[in-house]
Amino acid sequence: AADAVMLGMANASSSMILRWKLQFGCAIAWWVAAAVALFGTVAQGSVAFLIAIFLCQIVFGIYMMFSEARKRGSRRNRMVQEGPSHA
């Protein structure tokens, strides 16, 4: 439970600094996993922790990869339309 609370705090503080709403959702998922670990059985806590890992590490990581690729693609399209810029 303590690990999940600390991971939730790290995600919450990062989401407030970077203003990423989805990362705050990850913080909530970690805190829910911590609550399940505190008040549920060991099996329930383990399942909640695995679900939080999947959502907050894998799904969030895939989302960020697609987001970066989309931004990179829109920058390339703008450069092609506007032509090269020289300093």
Side-chain angles (χ1 to χ4, degrees), residues 39-85:
F39 300 113
T41 64
V42 173
Q44 290 171 338
S46 298
V47 169
F49 196 77
L50 290 173
I51 290 171
I53 287 173
F54 178 74
L55 290 176
C56 301
Q57 301 297 318
I58 297 171
V59 173
F60 182 71
I62 291 170
Y63 167 77
M64 290 305 295
M65 284 189 337
F66 282 121
S67 176
E68 285 293 315
R70 191 176 13 179
K71 285 181 186 176
R72 203 174 320 121
S74 67
R75 267 188 269 154
R76 282 189 190 141
N77 288 340
R78 271 187 276 140
M79 287 178 64
V80 169
Q81 292 170 356
E82 294 172 2
S85 61

Side-chain angles (χ1 to χ4, degrees), residues 8-18 23-24 27:
M9 287 303 296
N11 277 283
S13 60
S14 293
S15 72
M16 289 178 194
I17 292 169
L18 299 171
Q23 192 169 15
F24 193 77

